[in-house]
Amino acid sequence: MTKRETYTLLALIAVYYEQFEVNQQKIDYWHEVLRHHEVEDLRQNLLQHVEVSPYPPKISDLMRKSAAVSRAIPDCRDSAFIVPISWKPASEEVVQAELAKMRQILGIVRGEV
């Protein structure tokens, strides 16, 4: 995105929102953040913002990803790659010792009905 495209985008925001002022400092700072983005993507996000908000957009409003991407919920196969299984089951002796502790705490005596 060129600085001229940044100015064009800010001028478009000013058309939609009367309270939005465009000045050189704003152009410079917005361009610093937006220069690596495609102007058409930002313009489409601006149009979506205008449809739902009476307030001028912030930079983050223009850079947001589509809802389909941000709301994707991984299934168990995707999660298997994200969360590695690094635990191993306890040995039988440890399991029985922990069960015995729980029975003692709860006052359970084995063999009683």
Side-chain angles (χ1 to χ4, degrees), residues 4 7 14 16 21 31 40 46 51 54 56 81 91 98 110:
R4 180 175 296 278
Y7 167 75
Y16 291 124
E21 295 181 19
H31 178 70
E40 190 54 35
L46 171 61
E51 290 177 1
F81 293 110
S91 66
E98 291 301 315
R110 287 193 94 177

Side-chain angles (χ1 to χ4, degrees), residues 9 25 37 43 45-46 59 71 85 89 94 103 105 111:
L9 185 68
Q25 183 180 22
H37 296 275
R43 188 177 162 281
N45 288 344
L46 171 61
I59 292 176
R71 294 183 181 222
I85 299 175
V94 172
R103 283 191 297 270
I105 291 169

